[in-house]
Amino acid sequence: MKTSQLLIPTLREAPGEAETVSHRLMLRAGLIRKVASGIYTYLPLGLRVIRKVEQIIRDEMNRAGAQELLMPMASPAELWKETGRWDFYGKELLRFKDRHERDFCLGPTHEEIITDLFRREVKSYRQLPLNFYQIQTKFRDEIRPRFGLMRGREFLMKDAYSFDRDDAGARENYQKMYDAYHRIFTRCGLTFRAVEADTGLIGGNSSHEFMVLAETGEETVVYTDSGTFAANVERADVLPPDSVENTASLPLRSVSTPNCRSIEEVTAFLKVPSHRLVKTLLYSTGKETVAVLVRGDHAVNEIKLKKALGVPEIELAGPATVEKATGAPVGFAGPVGLKGIRILADQAIPALKNVVVGGNQLDTHYIDANWGRDFTADQTLDLRNAQAGDPSPKKDGILKATKGIEVGHVFMLGTKYSQTMNATFLDAQGKECLAVMGCYGIGVGRSAAASIEQNHDDRGIIWPYPIAPFHIHLIPVSQSDKTNEMTVRLYAELQAAGFEVLWDDRDDRAGVKFNDADLIGAPFQVVVGDKGLAEGVVEVKVRRTGIKTRVTPTELIQHLRSAVPHVDAAPSSH
RNA sequence: CGGGGCGUAGCGCAGCCCGGUAGCGCGCCUGCUUUGGGAGCAGGAUGUCGGAGGUUCAAAUCCUCUCGCCCCGACCA
């Protein structure tokens, strides 16, 4: 392709809206443009990258025995009402009515649609197992879209759904997908890690997320060096404390703590470490208000809390609710003498002695409060996030934490959907059985964005060869006939040799072309100019290393062919 | 949803506090020169100052409403 045939609106300065590296570079290199919050147009260069990622996914999905189909974006409310997700999915589900006032939504995921297809078309165990996938635009009306393609509202996703006769079959499909995902992300040039994860709105029995390790990741992963344990903090179990503190209980005392509302303020004022505090958080479930006790240095895990309460949504109680429940303004809630609401305590709480808690009165805390004597809870269980320094739940060491970008997620669904939607088949005995399902997603655009997060320098993108929009950026830097003839010749030869070539045929200065080439990030740059040609050579620059090699035009293709296998091997400046 | 911020030329921004009819850099167009890491000179085009209302002789600037976008938080107890 010639640049004159392609819209590649590179930007010297990044638009102010972009914060993260990948978002900035995608805008600057002319890959995407925003249409509305979380909604983007893929420009020609961006689309080429997307297509590369898609093709890798197709290859590996097909290889793993899945078959491609395409489901609609819009789906009728009835199917969603069947599984209950019409209500359960909340505001993320973008709903609308057609001209007949029928309810529809834009598909955020497709379990309902595929399960409906299955129950209509599949009758016999002889047809199983099955695994369907599609690469399709999804719409989720995110609370807060951000970081360009990283968290859009409209985005491309590969989703796959497997149907099996039994659990063993489902596990086999799950494993196949798990392995396929490893190959896909490896081929995309990503450094990633599979971790145990929560199943969220999809539901099911268990799941793994594929996390690209990057500072800008929105997820936190905890893991052990031994490699046997890795999980999203949302999901990671926390072991109960192994012993109760062995200290004599001191008498309970009420102290004045003027204006000390936060953990920081209280610890600073009373000069006690935060793990000597118990914080009391009030949550509203919609039906009731509950108090949750966790240690001052711990964070409530709202997913664990929701499960404990058996409700889909919770939120921190507002100031009015807090005053009503505790009799004090926000900042002074505590379990001592707290009546009329349910109290849930993290399992770490009973092991503590002589702690600081809120006094349920303005500017007041209790010190030396003790479990059993001064306060207790209706329930004690694991309610907090795992954090670095905790012992691993697999007892294989101490946890470390890192940030990750979730690019893929595989779920064992079990019969959650086949049950509610009555997706059954007849087994060899003629007995009606529920299909055992799995589902498997990959964020296509997010994978591309994650790749930029891991592969860039201060000059621009450094695409891994398999997903680069072009393999070679061909850059003539002189406008002589000699240079032009050589460029035309190399353009033809390189393409004939199977390379995807972007020929910068603009009438621009060399510096402009070099800078755009570095920004766009093709793995190789081939520079043709009078200076080199006078000595019978052209120049090959490897984008990742910046190393330039002078080769004769005849050697060029051989040189590139032998360089391709190593081009992604060198570490980026990151 | 809460908090903060921003909407002025294609992009990045100034002007707003203290009202007087819009500017800078880059980009874009024309010409000449230049041509191996974002060229020089000369000339030129481009704005309903996000939108609506109000105050005023006069509004980008003050007031009200509204729309859009961005950031932070949702661990504050």
Side-chain angles (χ1 to χ4, degrees):
Chain A
M1 285 278 199
K2 300 180 193 177
T3 50
S4 59
Q5 300 172 310
L6 240 32
L7 179 68
I8 309 175
T10 55
L11 262 27
R12 190 182 290 207
E13 293 169 282
E17 70 192 37
E19 199 70 6
T20 53
V21 170
S22 61
H23 190 192
R24 262 204 307 271
L25 289 176
M26 280 189 157
L27 290 169
R28 284 193 57 211
L31 305 183
I32 58 168
R33 284 295 183 265
K34 187 173 69 184
V35 177
S37 181
I39 298 177
Y40 291 83
T41 291
Y42 304 100
L43 301 182
L45 226 44
L47 184 59
R48 287 184 71 97
V49 174
I50 295 291
R51 293 288 185 243
K52 291 278 178 87
V53 175
E54 284 180 1
Q55 200 45 54
I56 290 171
I57 292 172
R58 283 201 172 88
D59 277 1
E60 295 297 343
M61 292 305 291
N62 292 341
R63 189 201 316 205
Q67 47 186 314
E68 186 170 9
L69 47 60
L70 186 59
M71 290 179 267
M73 249 202 97
S75 55
E78 287 71 53
L79 291 174
W80 293 81
K81 285 177 178 162
E82 263 192 73
T83 57
R85 287 207 296 184
W86 183 256
D87 298 316
F88 199 72
Y89 219 102
K91 288 184 181 157
E92 266 187 40
L93 190 63
L94 186 70
R95 300 147 214 256
F96 61 97
K97 286 179 192 296
D98 71 5
R99 63 167 68 196
H100 305 293
E101 294 287 303
R102 291 191 194 108
D103 285 317
F104 278 81
C105 65
L106 290 182
T109 174
H110 281 72
E111 285 79 9
E112 279 79 359
I113 321 301
I114 196 75
T115 307
D116 182 55
L117 178 79
F118 177 92
R119 68 179 168 187
R120 289 168 188 276
E121 310 300 337
V122 180
K123 304 288 174 216
S124 160
Y125 73 98
R126 289 198 183 89
Q127 295 167 281
L128 299 180
L130 284 167
N131 191 351
F132 302 103
Y133 76 98
Q134 63 173 348
I135 296 174
Q136 196 236 23
T137 299
K138 295 279 187 278
F139 198 99
R140 293 181 186 173
D141 202 357
E142 294 278 350
I143 298 177
R144 190 171 151 209
R146 57 183 137 181
F147 307 150
L149 296 193
M150 205 70 94
R151 180 174 294 281
R153 292 193 291 170
E154 183 178 301
F155 60 100
L156 265 180
M157 177 169 168
K158 185 286 301 179
D159 45 325
Y161 306 89
S162 67
F163 296 86
D164 276 277
R165 303 174 187 181
D166 51 31
D167 286 340
R171 273 196 296 277
E172 206 172 301
N173 250 325
Y174 186 85
Q175 190 60 41
K176 271 188 196 165
M177 288 295 103
Y178 187 94
D179 295 341
Y181 275 35
H182 266 271
R183 287 194 298 271
I184 289 166
F185 295 125
T186 301
R187 283 179 64 182
C188 287
L190 294 166
T191 302
F192 65 96
R193 183 152 195 173
V195 308
E196 291 175 31
D198 181 67
T199 55
L201 286 169
I202 307 293
N205 310 328
S206 69
S207 77
H208 284 90
E209 284 168 338
F210 287 77
M211 292 285 195
V212 167
L213 307 182
E215 271 311 305
T216 46
E218 295 185 88
E219 308 288 337
T220 303
V221 172
V222 287
Y223 63 97
T224 54
D225 281 331
S226 65
T228 41
F229 180 78
N232 191 317
V233 277
E234 291 179 344
R235 169 69 185 79
D237 292 330
V238 176
L239 295 176
D242 38 20
S243 61
V244 174
E245 285 181 89
N246 188 17
T247 320
S249 300
L250 300 170
L252 180 71
R253 283 192 295 149
S254 167
V255 295
S256 170
T257 50
N259 280 318
C260 295
R261 291 184 165 78
S262 67
I263 293 294
E264 292 71 33
E265 287 160 350
V266 175
T267 53
F269 183 80
L270 295 176
K271 300 196 169 40
V272 289
S274 56
H275 65 262
R276 308 290 330 157
L277 267 67
V278 169
K279 43 180 179 182
T280 306
L281 286 78
L282 296 175
Y283 278 90
S284 301
T285 66
K287 274 188 271 179
E288 60 171 340
T289 304
V290 298
V292 177
L293 310 181
V294 293
R295 221 168 73 179
D297 59 330
H298 289 161
V300 168
N301 180 317
E302 296 193 352
I303 291 173
K304 291 177 182 175
L305 180 58
K306 280 189 230 177
K307 281 181 185 158
L309 293 168
V311 295
E313 285 303 327
I314 53 170
E315 58 178 24
L316 278 166
T321 315
V322 172
E323 281 215 53
K324 194 172 152 222
T326 68
V330 170
F332 303 98
V336 177
L338 189 60
K339 297 234 160 38
I341 62 172
R342 215 150 42 114
I343 302 176
L344 281 80
D346 180 67
Q347 58 192 356
I349 302 301
L352 301 173
K353 281 287 189 70
N354 302 327
V355 294
V356 177
V357 298
N360 294 328
Q361 194 184 326
L362 178 66
D363 294 344
T364 306
H365 280 77
Y366 285 112
I367 59 175
D368 296 329
N370 281 289
W371 177 264
R373 183 190 72 184
D374 306 314
F375 66 97
T376 182
D378 298 290
Q379 234 182 314
T380 303
L381 65 171
D382 174 15
L383 287 176
R384 70 166 174 102
N385 279 343
Q387 57 194 33
D390 286 343
S392 160
K394 290 234 172 99
K395 303 196 157 98
D396 59 342
I398 298 299
L399 295 182
K400 291 185 172 182
T402 186
K403 289 286 179 185
I405 301 166
E406 179 194 351
V407 289
H409 202 158
V410 293
F411 298 82
M412 293 263 263
L413 290 179
T415 56
K416 171 176 171 169
Y417 292 91
S418 44
Q419 206 156 17
T420 46
M421 296 186 69
N422 198 31
T424 60
F425 62 92
L426 295 181
D427 69 9
Q429 283 73 46
K431 196 172 108 239
E432 197 168 45
C433 303
L434 290 171
V436 183
M437 296 173 57
C439 83
Y440 320 93
I442 291 179
V444 179
R446 186 182 280 185
S447 296
S451 184
I452 295 176
E453 293 290 339
Q454 284 189 338
N455 300 283
H456 70 274
D457 61 17
D458 54 1
R459 305 192 57 77
I461 304 171
I462 304 172
W463 286 114
Y465 193 86
I467 63 171
F470 288 94
H471 301 136
I472 296 167
H473 206 130
L474 179 61
I475 308 168
V477 292
S478 314
Q479 48 291 303
S480 65
D481 289 347
K482 199 164 67 166
T483 290
N484 191 46
E485 280 161 26
M486 182 54 74
T487 307
V488 171
R489 180 186 137 192
L490 292 180
Y491 181 59
E493 287 182 4
L494 287 167
Q495 290 190 113
F499 292 107
E500 294 169 0
V501 185
L502 180 63
W503 169 9
D504 192 340
D505 63 339
R506 292 176 302 175
D507 184 20
D508 258 310
R509 304 174 70 82
V512 174
K513 296 186 182 183
F514 289 144
N515 280 302
D516 270 355
D518 286 347
L519 179 59
I520 288 166
F524 295 105
Q525 293 169 19
V526 173
V527 180
V528 186
D530 289 352
K531 226 163 75 182
L533 290 180
E535 296 169 47
V537 296
V538 296
E539 203 171 80
V540 176
K541 175 177 148 181
V542 174
R543 173 65 183 89
R544 191 177 291 274
T545 59
I547 293 170
K548 297 171 189 166
T549 314
R550 291 148 65 86
V551 299
T552 66
T554 347
E555 301 167 328
L556 178 62
I557 285 171
Q558 194 42 53
H559 174 84
L560 287 167
R561 281 196 174 135
S562 56
V564 167
H566 320 294
V567 71
D568 293 331
S572 73
S573 63
H574 252 58

